[in-house]
Amino acid sequence: MVHAGMSAHDVHWLCVTHFHGDHCLGVPGVVQRIARDRVRHPVRAVYPGSGEDYWRRLRHAAAFADTSVIAEHPLSGELDGVGPLTARRLSHPVESYGYRVQEPDGRRMLPERLAAHGIRGPEVGELQRTGSVRGVTLDQCSVPKPGQSMAFVMDTRLCDAVFELASGVDLLVIESTFLAEESALAKEYGHLTAYEAGQVAAEAGVRRLVLTHFSERYGFDDEPAFTAEAHQSFTGEIITARDLMRIPVPRRQVHTPVK
Ligand SMILES: [Zn+2]
């Protein structure tokens, strides 16, 4: 978090996919940073319920002045509509969840329309809240703005939940542990190949695909092979993730009507 320029005050959710070490051993540092920096807002912690023992140990891994802001949400099955978050059970040797964050749809105000109707200052807020001001409606001064969405799919075989989570998202961060030549190993250990990651992105209509979680059997020099393989099944934008990289969720296109 320090190297990434992330403050503990930026954290509102802790979403643990599963309790294999490479996916959860960072939890104590994050929890203790939240406590030490006196974060006041609630932080929701979502994790596989069958791993409650692991969660307890990670939550209290060392002596520190504890915090009361962390609200625990152990998952069993699935979680729908807790704020912007959806969780779906994946297919992995231990209970594992993928997550999707969906921003609600909104409207973008059109300054020239507001000006034409003489609406300014506090009236703009009133129009947004109530839907009309002096007989002028919100529709006349704004256009729909679809919310942005992203999915985080870590450690799974191909299954329906993967497609459901990724459906139409602007950004998909997905594991691609193996190349297709090792697809037998991928199935056995509950992982995806780069080709399958691309297949998900193509079928789900993803806009930006981010590949990560490459097996240690491959080196840095092999990374272009992951991108190339995913491009066989997905023609859109593909990014190979590196530590500390910041990847924006692509903006939604808003179509401004012709006057
Ligand atoms: Zn795992």
Side-chain angles (χ1 to χ4, degrees), residues 171-209:
L171 180 77
L172 171 63
V173 183
I174 191 165
E175 70 122 310
S176 57
T177 307
F178 294 105
L179 292 168
E181 63 195 17
E182 303 290 4
S183 54
L185 276 184
K187 266 204 184 64
E188 186 183 344
Y189 292 109
H191 284 294
L192 297 170
T193 65
Y195 184 85
E196 288 172 324
Q199 213 182 332
V200 171
E203 283 185 38
V206 168
R207 291 177 61 205
R208 181 174 287 165
L209 174 64

Side-chain angles (χ1 to χ4, degrees), residues 18-23 92-94 96 154-155 189-191 213:
H18 63 297
F19 288 103
H20 277 150
D22 53 331
H23 294 264
H92 197 53
V94 302
S96 178
M154 245 9 82
D155 286 21
Y189 292 109
H191 284 294
H213 198 280

Side-chain angles (χ1 to χ4, degrees), residues 51-84:
E52 189 67 42
D53 285 353
Y54 298 119
W55 169 258
R56 295 253 75 83
R57 275 177 252 160
L58 293 162
R59 174 73 180 75
H60 304 285
F64 70 113
D66 207 350
T67 171
S68 60
V69 299
I70 296 176
E72 295 166 351
H73 298 266
L75 296 171
S76 56
E78 54 193 43
L79 169 88
D80 244 324
V82 168

